[in-house]
mmCIF file of all heavy atoms in Angstrom:
data_model
loop_
_atom_site.group_PDB
_atom_site.id
_atom_site.type_symbol
_atom_site.label_atom_id
_atom_site.label_comp_id
_atom_site.label_asym_id
_atom_site.label_seq_id
_atom_site.Cartn_x
_atom_site.Cartn_y
_atom_site.Cartn_z
ATOM 1 N N VAL M 303 -9.289 -28.528 -13.706
ATOM 2 C CA VAL M 303 -8.495 -27.472 -13.151
ATOM 3 C C VAL M 303 -9.002 -26.203 -13.862
ATOM 4 O O VAL M 303 -9.448 -26.219 -14.998
ATOM 5 C CB VAL M 303 -6.977 -27.690 -13.337
ATOM 6 C CG1 VAL M 303 -6.512 -28.885 -12.629
ATOM 7 C CG2 VAL M 303 -6.696 -27.772 -14.853
ATOM 8 N N PRO M 376 -4.228 -24.239 -20.685
ATOM 9 C CA PRO M 376 -3.241 -25.189 -21.133
ATOM 10 C C PRO M 376 -3.825 -26.612 -21.211
ATOM 11 O O PRO M 376 -4.491 -27.091 -20.309
ATOM 12 C CB PRO M 376 -2.124 -25.050 -20.037
ATOM 13 C CG PRO M 376 -2.299 -23.725 -19.429
ATOM 14 C CD PRO M 376 -3.809 -23.484 -19.547
ATOM 15 N N ALA M 377 -3.432 -27.306 -22.308
ATOM 16 C CA ALA M 377 -3.958 -28.715 -22.502
ATOM 17 C C ALA M 377 -3.251 -29.654 -21.519
ATOM 18 O O ALA M 377 -2.153 -29.417 -21.111
ATOM 19 C CB ALA M 377 -3.716 -29.111 -23.907
ATOM 20 N N PRO M 378 -3.923 -30.684 -21.090
ATOM 21 C CA PRO M 378 -3.315 -31.747 -20.347
ATOM 22 C C PRO M 378 -2.052 -32.297 -21.046
ATOM 23 O O PRO M 378 -1.930 -32.365 -22.197
ATOM 24 C CB PRO M 378 -4.348 -32.815 -20.153
ATOM 25 C CG PRO M 378 -5.629 -32.062 -20.473
ATOM 26 C CD PRO M 378 -5.383 -31.006 -21.469
ATOM 27 N N LEU M 379 -1.127 -32.768 -20.220
ATOM 28 C CA LEU M 379 0.042 -33.442 -20.680
ATOM 29 C C LEU M 379 -0.044 -34.896 -20.412
ATOM 30 O O LEU M 379 -0.406 -35.310 -19.277
ATOM 31 C CB LEU M 379 1.301 -32.835 -19.996
ATOM 32 C CG LEU M 379 1.517 -31.360 -20.098
ATOM 33 C CD1 LEU M 379 2.791 -30.945 -19.428
ATOM 34 C CD2 LEU M 379 1.543 -30.833 -21.570
ATOM 35 N N LEU M 380 0.357 -35.739 -21.454
ATOM 36 C CA LEU M 380 0.221 -37.182 -21.218
ATOM 37 C C LEU M 380 1.653 -37.772 -21.318
ATOM 38 O O LEU M 380 2.401 -37.491 -22.279
ATOM 39 C CB LEU M 380 -0.564 -37.752 -22.424
ATOM 40 C CG LEU M 380 -0.665 -39.286 -22.485
ATOM 41 C CD1 LEU M 380 -1.295 -39.834 -21.269
ATOM 42 C CD2 LEU M 380 -1.451 -39.729 -23.694
ATOM 43 N N PHE M 381 2.003 -38.493 -20.330
ATOM 44 C CA PHE M 381 3.327 -39.118 -20.130
ATOM 45 C C PHE M 381 3.129 -40.636 -20.290
ATOM 46 O O PHE M 381 2.290 -41.263 -19.631
ATOM 47 C CB PHE M 381 3.963 -38.783 -18.837
ATOM 48 C CG PHE M 381 4.289 -37.382 -18.669
ATOM 49 C CD1 PHE M 381 3.333 -36.415 -18.166
ATOM 50 C CD2 PHE M 381 5.522 -36.787 -18.999
ATOM 51 C CE1 PHE M 381 3.645 -35.090 -17.952
ATOM 52 C CE2 PHE M 381 5.803 -35.465 -18.881
ATOM 53 C CZ PHE M 381 4.866 -34.606 -18.400
ATOM 54 N N ARG M 387 3.898 -35.713 -24.038
ATOM 55 C CA ARG M 387 3.392 -34.893 -25.079
ATOM 56 C C ARG M 387 2.163 -34.091 -24.598
ATOM 57 O O ARG M 387 1.495 -34.509 -23.647
ATOM 58 C CB ARG M 387 3.061 -35.653 -26.301
ATOM 59 C CG ARG M 387 1.891 -36.675 -26.186
ATOM 60 C CD ARG M 387 1.606 -37.468 -27.460
ATOM 61 N NE ARG M 387 0.577 -38.490 -27.248
ATOM 62 C CZ ARG M 387 -0.722 -38.309 -27.390
ATOM 63 N NH1 ARG M 387 -1.141 -37.028 -27.827
ATOM 64 N NH2 ARG M 387 -1.545 -39.292 -27.260
ATOM 65 N N LEU M 417 0.231 -41.489 -17.460
ATOM 66 C CA LEU M 417 0.136 -40.427 -16.459
ATOM 67 C C LEU M 417 -0.414 -39.126 -17.109
ATOM 68 O O LEU M 417 0.158 -38.675 -18.105
ATOM 69 C CB LEU M 417 1.499 -40.127 -15.754
ATOM 70 C CG LEU M 417 1.538 -39.278 -14.548
ATOM 71 C CD1 LEU M 417 2.538 -39.757 -13.608
ATOM 72 C CD2 LEU M 417 1.917 -37.860 -14.981
ATOM 73 N N LEU M 418 -1.434 -38.557 -16.504
ATOM 74 C CA LEU M 418 -2.036 -37.426 -17.048
ATOM 75 C C LEU M 418 -1.693 -36.268 -16.062
ATOM 76 O O LEU M 418 -1.960 -36.341 -14.856
ATOM 77 C CB LEU M 418 -3.529 -37.524 -17.183
ATOM 78 C CG LEU M 418 -4.274 -36.624 -18.096
ATOM 79 C CD1 LEU M 418 -3.874 -36.843 -19.549
ATOM 80 C CD2 LEU M 418 -5.788 -36.852 -17.974
ATOM 81 N N LEU M 419 -1.179 -35.089 -16.624
ATOM 82 C CA LEU M 419 -0.878 -33.935 -15.780
ATOM 83 C C LEU M 419 -1.709 -32.725 -16.240
ATOM 84 O O LEU M 419 -1.591 -32.292 -17.339
ATOM 85 C CB LEU M 419 0.616 -33.618 -15.856
ATOM 86 C CG LEU M 419 1.205 -32.567 -14.891
ATOM 87 C CD1 LEU M 419 2.697 -32.905 -14.599
ATOM 88 C CD2 LEU M 419 1.096 -31.158 -15.388
ATOM 89 N N LEU M 420 -2.590 -32.292 -15.310
ATOM 90 C CA LEU M 420 -3.365 -31.052 -15.516
ATOM 91 C C LEU M 420 -2.778 -29.868 -14.723
ATOM 92 O O LEU M 420 -2.463 -30.159 -13.550
ATOM 93 C CB LEU M 420 -4.857 -31.282 -15.199
ATOM 94 C CG LEU M 420 -5.688 -32.046 -16.225
ATOM 95 C CD1 LEU M 420 -5.275 -33.500 -16.299
ATOM 96 C CD2 LEU M 420 -7.194 -31.978 -15.785
ATOM 97 N N HIS M 421 -2.738 -28.677 -15.202
ATOM 98 C CA HIS M 421 -2.134 -27.575 -14.386
ATOM 99 C C HIS M 421 -2.784 -26.243 -14.860
ATOM 100 O O HIS M 421 -3.409 -26.130 -15.920
ATOM 101 C CB HIS M 421 -0.635 -27.552 -14.548
ATOM 102 C CG HIS M 421 -0.171 -27.217 -15.963
ATOM 103 N ND1 HIS M 421 0.136 -25.962 -16.336
ATOM 104 C CD2 HIS M 421 0.037 -27.984 -17.039
ATOM 105 C CE1 HIS M 421 0.528 -25.902 -17.661
ATOM 106 N NE2 HIS M 421 0.443 -27.173 -18.055
ATOM 107 N N THR M 422 -2.541 -25.258 -14.018
ATOM 108 C CA THR M 422 -2.965 -23.939 -14.339
ATOM 109 C C THR M 422 -1.758 -23.103 -14.741
ATOM 110 O O THR M 422 -0.597 -23.462 -14.559
ATOM 111 C CB THR M 422 -3.680 -23.192 -13.156
ATOM 112 O OG1 THR M 422 -2.807 -23.179 -12.066
ATOM 113 C CG2 THR M 422 -4.957 -23.946 -12.817
ATOM 114 N N LEU M 425 2.463 -22.377 -13.375
ATOM 115 C CA LEU M 425 3.002 -23.439 -12.620
ATOM 116 C C LEU M 425 4.469 -23.426 -12.630
ATOM 117 O O LEU M 425 5.165 -23.594 -11.569
ATOM 118 C CB LEU M 425 2.455 -24.859 -13.078
ATOM 119 C CG LEU M 425 3.101 -26.039 -12.488
ATOM 120 C CD1 LEU M 425 2.720 -26.141 -10.997
ATOM 121 C CD2 LEU M 425 2.576 -27.311 -13.135
ATOM 122 N N LEU M 438 8.015 -28.891 -18.322
ATOM 123 C CA LEU M 438 7.273 -30.002 -17.647
ATOM 124 C C LEU M 438 7.496 -31.294 -18.445
ATOM 125 O O LEU M 438 7.585 -32.373 -17.850
ATOM 126 C CB LEU M 438 5.805 -29.623 -17.645
ATOM 127 C CG LEU M 438 5.431 -28.492 -16.683
ATOM 128 C CD1 LEU M 438 3.973 -28.195 -16.953
ATOM 129 C CD2 LEU M 438 5.650 -28.895 -15.278
ATOM 130 N N LEU M 439 7.508 -31.219 -19.790
ATOM 131 C CA LEU M 439 7.727 -32.484 -20.607
ATOM 132 C C LEU M 439 9.130 -33.099 -20.308
ATOM 133 O O LEU M 439 9.322 -34.318 -20.414
ATOM 134 C CB LEU M 439 7.555 -32.183 -22.089
ATOM 135 C CG LEU M 439 6.145 -31.807 -22.487
ATOM 136 C CD1 LEU M 439 6.053 -31.464 -23.973
ATOM 137 C CD2 LEU M 439 5.185 -33.016 -22.159
ATOM 138 N N LEU M 441 10.403 -33.528 -17.601
ATOM 139 C CA LEU M 441 10.306 -34.369 -16.422
ATOM 140 C C LEU M 441 9.902 -35.757 -16.722
ATOM 141 O O LEU M 441 9.760 -36.618 -15.835
ATOM 142 C CB LEU M 441 9.290 -33.787 -15.388
ATOM 143 C CG LEU M 441 9.685 -32.428 -14.774
ATOM 144 C CD1 LEU M 441 8.545 -31.846 -13.914
ATOM 145 C CD2 LEU M 441 10.916 -32.617 -13.894
ATOM 146 N N LEU M 445 9.211 -38.794 -14.009
ATOM 147 C CA LEU M 445 7.845 -39.142 -13.692
ATOM 148 C C LEU M 445 7.599 -40.608 -13.973
ATOM 149 O O LEU M 445 6.816 -41.315 -13.375
ATOM 150 C CB LEU M 445 6.884 -38.215 -14.510
ATOM 151 C CG LEU M 445 6.922 -36.749 -14.173
ATOM 152 C CD1 LEU M 445 5.822 -36.031 -14.995
ATOM 153 C CD2 LEU M 445 6.685 -36.473 -12.615
ATOM 154 N N CYS M 454 4.865 -38.137 -8.185
ATOM 155 C CA CYS M 454 4.958 -37.277 -9.368
ATOM 156 C C CYS M 454 4.674 -35.787 -9.051
ATOM 157 O O CYS M 454 5.407 -34.902 -9.554
ATOM 158 C CB CYS M 454 3.948 -37.772 -10.388
ATOM 159 S SG CYS M 454 4.222 -39.351 -11.111
ATOM 160 N N VAL M 455 3.754 -35.562 -8.161
ATOM 161 C CA VAL M 455 3.468 -34.173 -7.793
ATOM 162 C C VAL M 455 4.663 -33.593 -7.048
ATOM 163 O O VAL M 455 5.018 -32.439 -7.304
ATOM 164 C CB VAL M 455 2.158 -34.128 -6.852
ATOM 165 C CG1 VAL M 455 2.008 -32.791 -6.183
ATOM 166 C CG2 VAL M 455 0.907 -34.406 -7.713
ATOM 167 N N VAL M 458 7.167 -32.547 -9.584
ATOM 168 C CA VAL M 458 6.794 -31.291 -10.273
ATOM 169 C C VAL M 458 7.025 -30.113 -9.383
ATOM 170 O O VAL M 458 7.508 -29.110 -9.852
ATOM 171 C CB VAL M 458 5.314 -31.403 -10.673
ATOM 172 C CG1 VAL M 458 4.849 -30.021 -11.249
ATOM 173 C CG2 VAL M 458 5.097 -32.463 -11.733
ATOM 174 N N CYS M 472 -1.943 -24.473 -9.692
ATOM 175 C CA CYS M 472 -2.377 -25.824 -9.248
ATOM 176 C C CYS M 472 -1.863 -26.862 -10.192
ATOM 177 O O CYS M 472 -1.653 -26.607 -11.404
ATOM 178 C CB CYS M 472 -3.891 -25.937 -9.266
ATOM 179 S SG CYS M 472 -4.703 -25.008 -7.934
ATOM 180 N N VAL M 473 -1.626 -28.042 -9.636
ATOM 181 C CA VAL M 473 -1.212 -29.145 -10.449
ATOM 182 C C VAL M 473 -2.024 -30.372 -10.007
ATOM 183 O O VAL M 473 -2.136 -30.618 -8.816
ATOM 184 C CB VAL M 473 0.291 -29.466 -10.414
ATOM 185 C CG1 VAL M 473 0.725 -29.669 -8.946
ATOM 186 C CG2 VAL M 473 0.712 -30.664 -11.238
ATOM 187 N N LEU M 474 -2.498 -31.164 -10.967
ATOM 188 C CA LEU M 474 -3.322 -32.381 -10.631
ATOM 189 C C LEU M 474 -2.708 -33.508 -11.576
ATOM 190 O O LEU M 474 -2.568 -33.372 -12.783
ATOM 191 C CB LEU M 474 -4.793 -32.154 -10.998
ATOM 192 C CG LEU M 474 -5.684 -33.372 -10.913
ATOM 193 C CD1 LEU M 474 -5.805 -33.921 -9.536
ATOM 194 C CD2 LEU M 474 -7.131 -32.997 -11.486
ATOM 195 N N VAL M 475 -2.343 -34.607 -10.904
ATOM 196 C CA VAL M 475 -1.815 -35.737 -11.538
ATOM 197 C C VAL M 475 -2.700 -36.960 -11.485
ATOM 198 O O VAL M 475 -3.180 -37.244 -10.272
ATOM 199 C CB VAL M 475 -0.385 -36.110 -11.046
ATOM 200 C CG1 VAL M 475 0.050 -37.454 -11.619
ATOM 201 C CG2 VAL M 475 0.601 -35.022 -11.391
ATOM 202 N N ALA M 476 -3.026 -37.602 -12.550
ATOM 203 C CA ALA M 476 -3.878 -38.850 -12.562
ATOM 204 C C ALA M 476 -3.029 -39.949 -13.204
ATOM 205 O O ALA M 476 -2.662 -39.785 -14.364
ATOM 206 C CB ALA M 476 -5.216 -38.594 -13.266
#
Side-chain angles (χ1 to χ4, degrees):
V303 295
L379 305 181
L380 176 61
F381 295 88
R387 65 181 175 90
L417 188 142
L418 200 66
L419 189 151
L420 284 67
H421 66 96
T422 58
L425 175 62
L438 293 172
L439 292 178
L441 291 174
L445 298 181
C454 295
V455 167
V458 172
C472 289
V473 57
L474 172 64
V475 170

